[in-house]
Every structure is written in structure tokens, then in C-alpha cells.
Amino acid sequence: TDTEIKGGGVTNATVGGAIVAANAFEATGLTVSGNVAQLGGGIYANADTTLTNSLIKNNQATHASLGSGGGINVVRPTASTFSTLILDNTDVTDNTSTVYGGGAGLGFGVTTTIRNGSAVDHNTAVAGGGIFNSGALTVRDSSVSDNSASFQGGGLYNGSTVAADTPTLTLDGAA
């Protein structure tokens, strides 16, 4: 509760500049800022993750061809299992990725809920400036705004790089 992790991965970590969540992870009042990694500049998670009243800001995913999730990158642990991400009144802002998901990169098999006044804003990537979603995404009573992509999906890219994946998107009271 009420913790800040700043400036991790200074030498460009492979994954998770601040945090690698390989087991279930919950945090309240967490600030993750100024971190760098090839994937998941701020947080890299392959387990169920819940962030409440938190801030993910000014992080970078830097891999030239696979960079995903400047703020947070979430994948499923194995091909036969699934992960969840819940952002509850949490802001993901001013993050960058060299390829996918400036704010958040959400892999196939990841079920994500962004809710209760969360904001994904001012993030940048080639595709999915705010969010790159290959899983199941619900945005409820929250906003995805002022993000930019140099190729496609400035706010949100709902698709996949794998033809067999079938991502879904639900917007409920989202701005």
C-alpha cells in the first residue's frame, strides 16, 4: 500500500522495468514511474494482477520489434492457462512502447477490466497507443483518451498478430 517504484531497469531490463509479477499480484496506492524494459516497461505480469488507486506513468517498453506494454504488459502464464488484469481507479499515463500498447499490452488469454474512473491517457506506440488488446477487454466507467499511434489504433487496437486469436471488446459507460 502507498509504495513508489521509480527508475528501475536503468540498463534496460528484459521484462518488467519495475515489477515482474509471476504470481498473483495485488497493490493499492502503487506508483510505478520512470522504468524501462524491453517488454512491460513498468510492470510485466503473467499472473492475475489487480491495481487499485494506483498510477503507472512515464515507463518505456523498448524492444525494437517486440516492444509491448510501455506501462504494463500482461500475458497468460502458459498456452493452456489464463490471466486477469483489473485496473480499479488506476491511471496509466505518459508511457511509450516501440511497437504495441503504449499504455498497456494485453495478450491473448488475458481478461482485463478497466473500471471505476480509471484513465488510460497520453500514451504512445506504433499500434494501440493507449491499449493493444488481444484478449477480452472491458472498459467500464473509465476513459481511454489523448493517446497516439503512428500506425493504427491511437486509443485502442483490438486485434492480434495471430490469426487464430479472437479478441473481444466491451465498452460500458466509457469515455
Side-chain angles (χ1 to χ4, degrees), residues 24-116:
F25 175 68
E26 292 185 28
T28 299
L30 176 67
T31 297
V32 174
S33 67
N35 301 285
V36 180
Q38 293 179 34
L39 300 169
I43 299 172
Y44 180 89
N46 63 353
D48 294 343
T49 300
T50 301
L51 300 176
T52 304
N53 301 328
S54 295
L55 175 64
I56 302 171
K57 181 175 181 156
N58 291 326
N59 300 285
Q60 300 174 44
T62 59
H63 192 281
S65 61
L66 299 174
S68 180
I72 185 168
N73 194 68
V74 185
V75 298
R76 61 186 179 171
T78 68
S80 62
T81 59
F82 301 92
S83 291
T84 61
L85 170 65
I86 297 171
L87 299 180
D88 191 341
N89 192 36
T90 292
D91 293 343
V92 179
T93 186
D94 296 317
N95 301 286
T96 62
S97 175
T98 51
V99 187
Y100 305 115
L106 309 172
F108 181 72
V110 176
T111 299
T112 301
T113 303
I114 299 173
R115 65 186 186 199
N116 296 333

